[in-house]
Amino acid sequence: MATSGQGIGYTGEDRLEEYISAHIEPESGLLKDLYRETNLRLLNPRMASGHIQGRLLKMLVTMIRPQTVLEVGTFTGYATLCMAEGLPDGGVIHTFEIDDELEDFILKGFDKSSFADRIHLHIGDALKMVPELGLKFDMIFLDGEKREYPEYYTVLTEYLKPGGYMIADNTLWDGHVADSDYDNDPQTSAVRRFNDMVAADERVEVAMIPIRDGLTIIRKIEN
């Protein structure tokens, strides 16, 4: 007989994630509800950061102490709310979501949060709209369209302050970046190009963490 909580399709990776979740800061009720609603109501709910990555993002923001954060790819706002938790006094997040059909869902979650005043939601193409803000950022969280990762890097690095951090999600892309079976997949190819660009860029320092789908931490070297 299967042990409690285990059965068909229950893997060692599932058990490890459960173990990690039980030994880190718990989710707030708001985040639990948001993650549940994301899974119930939207396609591709895996795009939401979730508990483990969300707590890491909060910790990174707490450590970096950015006053200005840019997020590309809001989705339902889970990662946004996690980062907003870690902001210092006066810190703000400008988050961009290109799918206007998600706007009401996103704002509903933000409005329930005590951090709503720290968040500015923009609906539209970050590549076109970020230059119009006239801002430089202490931190950028990149989680947008994977095919555009190389262009995001080229454009947005110019708006990252020296000494600032870019954190890019999905940089292992389910392991496809190291699998020749995906050589003709456009998303995999774009993520590979992004990873190659970062690795070759002498303006930055880089570390890659194999959490969930791969998280790359990039620090722009101070001049």
Side-chain angles (χ1 to χ4, degrees), residues 135-154:
L135 296 174
K136 296 279 188 175
F137 296 92
D138 300 300
M139 177 177 157
I140 297 173
F141 180 51
L142 179 57
D143 194 17
E145 167 57 51
K146 306 314 163 203
R147 292 178 181 86
E148 296 183 347
Y149 262 36
E151 188 174 1
Y152 283 136
Y153 188 70
T154 299

Side-chain angles (χ1 to χ4, degrees), residues 52-153:
I52 296 173
Q53 184 169 301
R55 293 303 86 193
L56 176 59
L57 288 171
K58 179 198 170 183
M59 183 71 76
L60 289 170
V61 171
T62 302
M63 293 165 63
I64 295 169
R65 297 186 61 78
Q67 287 294 318
T68 52
V69 176
L70 168 64
E71 179 184 32
V72 179
T74 316
F75 191 43
T76 58
Y78 189 103
T80 320
L81 290 170
C82 292
M83 291 188 289
E85 281 186 67
L87 283 175
D89 290 344
V92 296
I93 297 175
H94 288 270
T95 182
F96 285 80
E97 174 54 50
I98 201 163
D99 185 353
D100 60 359
E101 293 185 359
L102 289 173
E103 184 174 7
D104 290 343
F105 189 102
I106 295 167
L107 290 175
K108 182 180 177 182
F110 288 173
D111 289 343
K112 293 178 180 178
S113 169
S114 58
F115 308 111
D117 60 340
R118 303 178 180 185
I119 302 169
H120 301 285
L121 175 64
H122 306 268
I123 301 297
D125 186 346
L127 289 169
K128 296 177 180 177
M129 297 175 70
V130 168
E132 298 173 357
L133 293 178
L135 296 174
K136 296 279 188 175
F137 296 92
D138 300 300
M139 177 177 157
I140 297 173
F141 180 51
L142 179 57
D143 194 17
E145 167 57 51
K146 306 314 163 203
R147 292 178 181 86
E148 296 183 347
Y149 262 36
E151 188 174 1
Y152 283 136
Y153 188 70

Side-chain angles (χ1 to χ4, degrees), residues 28-29 46 52 79 87 96 118 126 169 185 217:
S28 66
R46 188 170 179 263
I52 296 173
L87 283 175
F96 285 80
R118 303 178 180 185
D169 199 11
D185 176 63
I217 302 175

